[in-house]
Amino acid sequence: MKKSVFLGTLAATTMIAGVAAAGTLDDVKARGELICGSNTGLTGFGAPDANGNWVGFDVALCRAVAAAVLGDQNKVKFVPTTGETRFTALASGEVDILVRNSTWTYSRDNDLKLDFVAVNYYDGQGFMVKKDLGVSSAKELDGATVCIQTGTTTELNLADFFKFNNISYTPVTVQDDSEAQRQYLAGACDAYTTDASGLAAARATMADSENHVILPEIISKEPLGPVVRHGDNQWGDIVRWTFFSLLIAEEKGITKANIEEVAASTTDPEVRRMLGLEGNMGAMLGLDAGAFKNAISANGNYGEIFEANIGSATPIGLARGLNALWTQGGLQYAPPFR
Amino acid sequence: MALASEAPKESFRLSMLIYDTRYRSMTIQVVVLILVLLFVGWLADNTIQNLAAKDKDINFGFLWNRAGYDIEQQLIPYTNDSTHGRAAIIGLLNTLVVAFFGCVFATIIGVFVGVLRLSNNWLVSRLMTVYVEAFRNVPLLLWIILVFVVMSETRPQPRDFRVTDEMIASGTEPAAKMWFWDSVAVTNRGTDLPAPVLDRGLGSIDIGSVPVNLSVLLTLAVIVASVLANRALLRRARAIQEETGERPVTWWKSLAILFLPTIALLMALGFHLDYPVFKGFNFQGGISVMHSFTALVIALSLYTGAFIAEIVRAGIMAISRGQSEAAFALGLRPGRTMSLIILPQALRVIIPPLISQYLNLTKNTSLGIAVSYLDLRGTLGGITLNQTGRELECMLLMMLTYLIISLIISSLMNVFNSSVKLKER
Ligand SMILES: N[C@@H](CCC(=O)N[C@@H](CS)C(=O)NCC(=O)O)C(=O)O
């Protein structure tokens, strides 16, 4: 897995002429399949279920893009990537889009030559410890051993946090979430730190989830979102507006269940434009008129996807918080569809 | 004879490049060389073009930027404010230290097992066969992970070692206890050992931002001087023996020369041991050896040891039986026959394949990332590569470094090989 990505990088940079050139849309259409870089397995965000179907909050966005572009949310292949391999996989053309709890930062945007096209989850980094450790604040972790995933922003934030607070720690740098959880549960580290959403997801899968607490400190901003290669603006716009269409759908009360009904009866001009009943918005991006309708029908609007995968009714139990619509005091806001 | 050598003198024609066997091999070599160069040139050109298409260049400037991440095991000082270049050096040193210990232990294991596999004792030789086959035939990565998981799952957590006042009052024992009179603790994270410390150390000087401990240097110098002095003593004793036929008693003088100066120096420097004690979350003080390191060394030496055992066995079997029979006829015991007659000759057969085992082991250290060991692959080829997005640069640097390490190892071993070579007089 590891080796193949590296060899892939070398091979891709040395042998294939012009992979990074524009035209991801054409490639995907010609292939008849979207290739989406996902988690190796993070319950609620992206993981195969018991039947091997990928499900999750991030996965649903990939499916919406596949529905918009190819008209079928099942025409997606999910490629598991670790924190370390994900950007190489995207840059080398191994995947068309990366939706994997990836934080939008300045250097990833500019140095790695990637484009973050939206924020589908506003997050921050937290710490999880076992309850019986008797720790109630991250600042009490002086001298603790902390498990951290390699190749992440969280690794850098962790160093900054401990330095800023003038306390020390021992890092245990692990490769993926499952190894981090194993070491944390085995007591090889006192604390596990990653995005707070990831901690909630990890805790939900632990057999004794009530024995673990997530500490109150959120030590960073982690705007997580879908990533595409730099330079293919059309493809970036497709992903961005697919995501926005899910937000607008929630704002306008369009759900997976009522979308046909709305399409038949609505008089709202923005909704009519978005669902392809009026004008030719899809064509501007090289898509069918019904592209965004397909995207919404796939797994419902943003709110539905949130509640079905990570919302308060699920074991992960995340509140909407910052991720509520702007109309409900959150940060999720889509520009007008016109 | 004279007629045959008198070939008709032809002038050179172009077709001779293909049809004349004198020139043909040269032609083929030149053509192949040109093709290879063209291919390499095409690869390089394509790389540059593809990078340009992605708006990237080849630039090693990132090595001087702040790394921003922490590394657990550091042989020279490093903080997250150090550069990516220094992080790479930390990783390189971690690679080398694992490779060094791995090679030493693998050799010891390999020689013992290789010899014992030829033992006449049925049980011993069968046990060694089982060991060799088990380790040779299971992938190394699995062994590394197995050893690591066993260590981290079976040992108690550091806080199980805690002794509180209430526990002393009520007389309850802690869940886990340290070994060797409370000096060594093996937790599920690592092994905490007493550390040698000096109260009146000589400090250190920085050579190229690597601090060099003067006390250690002085101690080493004293040890070397004692060994040299002891040699002189033994030489004198031999001279006297040859002259008078009577050897003076030297053992207590040797002991004194070898140990007293070092002990005196260490006392003068205020030497004592700093014992690890449990405080907060972990043991503080002493030396802490992470299980990732231990697991890597154990797995690498057991795995490579199995291959070396086979090489040693083959080397021994290559020595004709006549040699050992002759040695037995002279009355040498089997152990001495092995160490004085067989092994020195077998070395010549053993060393060339041994070199490739050392190279393998060194390169295999890059599997350490599986158990969170930050070696060159984990720092330069892992975190730095990922945080800077300089894949090509990092991969090239890493390949170059492994190449250089391997070349150094094999040239050192070649020197050794020529020194044990059959000397023809
Ligand atoms: N947001 C951070 C961290 C991303 C990350 O690695 N998240 C973890 C937990 S939230 C994850 O997805 N692990 C699953 C896996 O390793 O596949 C980043 O972009 O660097």
Side-chain angles (χ1 to χ4, degrees):
Chain A
M1 165 73 215
K2 203 55 333 90
K3 282 226 176 72
S4 79
V5 172
F6 282 129
L7 292 180
T9 326
L10 285 181
T13 42
T14 53
M15 318 271 270
I16 305 158
V19 267
T24 312
L25 176 62
D26 296 333
D27 289 349
V28 173
K29 278 186 175 163
R31 202 190 300 129
E33 186 181 55
L34 175 74
I35 304 181
C36 176
S38 186
N39 267 305
T40 50
L42 185 65
T43 313
F45 284 88
D49 67 9
N51 305 321
N53 294 319
W54 283 79
V55 288
F57 180 76
D58 281 344
V59 163
L61 182 54
C62 281
R63 293 201 182 277
V65 173
V69 175
L70 301 168
D72 182 351
Q73 62 150 321
N74 291 319
K75 289 190 177 157
V76 203
K77 189 171 103 186
F78 290 94
V79 175
T81 58
T82 66
E84 209 179 2
T85 58
R86 57 187 155 166
F87 298 124
T88 311
L90 179 64
S92 64
E94 201 180 315
V95 300
D96 301 313
I97 166 181
L98 182 72
V99 195
R100 187 207 168 281
N101 314 73
S102 294
T103 307
W104 188 348
T105 68
Y106 179 86
S107 55
R108 285 180 180 172
D109 215 337
N110 299 301
D111 227 12
L112 298 191
K113 305 290 178 210
L114 302 174
D115 276 354
F116 285 80
V117 289
V119 176
N120 69 340
Y121 193 96
Y122 289 94
D123 206 347
Q125 180 176 350
F127 291 88
M128 176 161 65
V129 294
K130 292 191 180 135
K131 231 176 219 162
D132 60 9
L133 199 62
V135 168
S136 58
S137 154
K139 294 191 180 134
E140 292 167 20
L141 288 175
D142 191 7
T145 303
V146 182
C147 274
I148 177 79
Q149 277 189 64
T150 172
T152 61
T153 50
T154 50
E155 174 174 59
L156 306 179
N157 299 332
L158 177 70
D160 288 350
F161 174 78
F162 276 83
K163 193 168 85 169
F164 182 77
N165 287 297
N166 221 343
I167 49 182
S168 67
Y169 72 106
T170 305
V172 175
T173 312
V174 297
Q175 254 185 325
D176 56 26
D177 189 53
S178 56
E179 173 65 7
Q181 286 188 42
R182 191 193 70 71
Q183 295 222 19
Y184 166 76
L185 286 175
C189 12
D190 298 302
Y192 175 28
T193 179
T194 184
D195 302 334
S197 63
L199 290 180
R203 187 170 64 166
T205 55
M206 289 174 184
D208 57 340
S209 49
E210 68 284 355
N211 294 335
H212 303 271
V213 282
I214 296 174
L215 299 178
E217 281 90 353
I218 294 293
I219 66 167
S220 68
K221 289 189 291 187
E222 306 287 333
L224 313 179
V227 201
V228 297
R229 281 182 291 278
H230 193 75
D232 188 349
N233 294 356
Q234 183 195 26
W235 181 245
D237 285 339
I238 289 173
V239 177
R240 176 183 296 120
W241 282 96
T242 304
F243 174 67
F244 284 156
S245 71
L246 302 180
L247 283 185
I248 296 172
E250 185 183 5
E251 200 179 316
K252 302 277 181 187
I254 308 170
T255 63
K256 189 179 159 126
N258 73 6
I259 187 162
E260 292 302 337
E261 203 182 306
V262 173
S265 61
T266 184
T267 52
D268 181 333
E270 188 172 13
V271 173
R272 288 184 64 82
R273 281 194 294 274
M274 187 167 78
L275 299 184
L277 306 170
E278 205 170 85
N280 60 347
M281 299 303 240
M284 288 185 205
L285 278 175
L287 301 177
D288 297 339
F292 297 112
K293 185 175 165 212
N294 291 339
I296 300 164
S297 325
N299 288 293
N301 64 37
Y302 180 80
E304 287 177 279
I305 293 174
F306 193 105
E307 292 306 335
N309 293 297
I310 53 178
S312 36
T314 65
I316 298 169
L318 290 170
R320 282 296 284 273
L322 289 178
N323 295 295
L325 289 184
W326 61 289
T327 46
Q328 269 128 45
L331 291 176
Q332 293 293 0
Y333 181 102
F337 212 103
R338 69 161 62 252
Chain B
M1 268 309 260
L3 269 182
S5 64
E6 215 68 356
K9 270 254 161 62
E10 271 185 74
S11 61
F12 179 77
R13 277 174 291 110
L14 221 51
S15 62
M16 284 166 69
L17 283 180
I18 299 176
Y19 296 116
D20 192 320
T21 45
R22 282 172 300 172
Y23 301 118
R24 191 191 289 149
S25 75
M26 199 110 83
T27 319
I28 294 175
Q29 290 185 41
V30 169
V31 169
V32 169
L33 183 66
I34 291 176
L35 285 181
V36 168
L37 287 181
L38 278 180
F39 180 69
V40 171
W42 176 74
L43 283 183
D45 178 62
N46 234 325
T47 309
I48 293 168
Q49 274 187 22
N50 274 307
L51 286 176
K54 287 186 200 164
D55 229 354
K56 284 186 171 181
D57 54 355
I58 295 191
N59 182 344
F60 289 92
F62 68 93
L63 287 175
W64 283 267
N65 295 346
R66 176 174 181 261
Y69 60 90
D70 285 301
I71 301 176
E72 203 307 283
Q73 176 183 311
Q74 24 184 284
L75 298 183
I76 60 172
Y78 168 91
T79 68
N80 54 50
D81 286 325
S82 309
T83 60
H84 280 297
R86 197 172 174 98
I89 293 173
I90 298 283
L92 173 63
L93 291 176
N94 287 349
T95 295
L96 291 178
V97 71
V98 166
F100 174 77
F101 282 106
C103 286
V104 170
F105 291 131
T107 312
I108 296 173
I109 296 173
V111 170
F112 266 98
V113 174
V115 170
L116 289 183
R117 241 193 120 174
L118 294 171
S119 156
N120 290 330
N121 184 324
W122 185 87
L123 185 66
V124 169
S125 73
R126 274 326 112 99
L127 274 180
M128 294 304 135
T129 310
V130 168
Y131 157 72
V132 168
E133 295 307 335
F135 275 86
R136 274 203 314 180
N137 295 311
V138 174
L140 173 58
L141 182 61
L142 299 187
W143 284 118
I144 295 178
I145 294 178
L146 178 77
V147 176
F148 180 69
V149 169
V150 165
M151 290 201 290
S152 70
E153 302 272 347
T154 56
R155 294 300 306 160
Q157 301 187 27
R159 62 190 153 118
D160 291 343
F161 288 83
R162 179 172 40 199
V163 188
T164 55
D165 291 341
E166 296 100 76
M167 287 167 79
I168 295 173
S170 66
T172 41
E173 295 277 305
K177 280 186 127 169
M178 291 171 77
W179 294 340
F180 304 112
W181 309 280
D182 279 355
S183 64
V184 176
V186 184
T187 68
N188 62 352
R189 298 175 187 173
T191 309
D192 290 280
L193 304 163
V197 283
L198 303 173
D199 283 339
R200 298 178 289 276
L202 299 178
S204 57
I205 46 167
D206 278 6
I207 299 181
S209 74
V210 178
V212 176
N213 191 324
L214 290 176
S215 320
V216 173
L217 278 191
L218 185 63
T219 314
L220 285 180
V222 168
I223 292 177
V224 169
S226 318
V227 170
L228 289 182
N230 184 44
R231 281 239 205 118
L233 175 80
L234 293 182
R235 233 189 346 261
R236 261 253 316 277
R238 201 165 327 116
I240 292 177
Q241 185 181 19
E242 265 162 29
E243 224 173 88
T244 65
E246 216 168 301
R247 192 180 171 87
V249 183
T250 54
W251 65 268
W252 60 270
K253 286 187 203 155
S254 277
L255 275 186
I257 292 178
L258 281 179
F259 293 104
L260 280 187
T262 316
I263 293 175
L265 174 72
L266 289 179
M267 296 227 304
L269 291 175
F271 174 90
H272 64 94
L273 287 177
D274 177 28
Y275 292 98
V277 275
F278 181 79
K279 220 160 75 206
F281 296 95
N282 281 308
F283 278 91
Q284 312 281 338
I287 301 176
S288 174
V289 184
M290 289 284 111
H291 280 336
S292 51
F293 173 82
T294 321
L296 206 53
V297 169
I298 292 179
L300 281 171
S301 9
L302 286 176
Y303 181 79
T304 314
F307 287 90
I308 295 182
E310 282 301 273
I311 294 171
V312 169
R313 185 171 72 113
I316 293 172
M317 308 234 305
I319 307 303
S320 95
R321 276 204 68 79
Q323 296 282 330
S324 39
E325 278 161 11
F328 292 151
L330 287 175
L332 284 182
R333 274 169 284 123
R336 309 213 80 193
T337 307
M338 184 56 82
S339 63
L340 291 176
I341 312 284
I342 311 288
L343 274 184
Q345 299 187 71
L347 269 187
R348 280 177 289 132
V349 187
I350 291 174
I351 287 180
L354 191 63
I355 301 179
S356 32
Q357 289 308 325
Y358 285 172
L359 298 183
N360 275 347
L361 189 146
T362 307
K363 288 176 289 177
N364 284 341
T365 56
S366 60
L367 291 171
I369 188 71
V371 288
S372 315
Y373 186 72
L374 286 185
D375 61 348
L376 187 67
R377 159 72 185 76
T379 55
L380 178 66
I383 305 181
T384 293
L385 180 152
N386 210 263
Q387 302 289 7
T388 60
R390 296 274 169 194
E391 291 101 346
L392 204 63
E393 290 90 335
C394 288
M395 291 315 283
L396 287 176
L397 264 184
M398 215 163 62
M399 285 158 71
L400 193 71
T401 316
Y402 280 113
L403 183 70
I404 292 174
I405 301 177
S406 298
L407 288 181
I408 291 176
I409 294 178
S410 65
S411 51
L412 285 182
M413 290 300 289
N414 279 328
V415 170
F416 181 58
N417 193 24
S418 44
S419 76
V420 298
K421 215 166 50 187
L422 201 60
K423 305 227 174 28
E424 291 178 12
R425 278 181 258 251

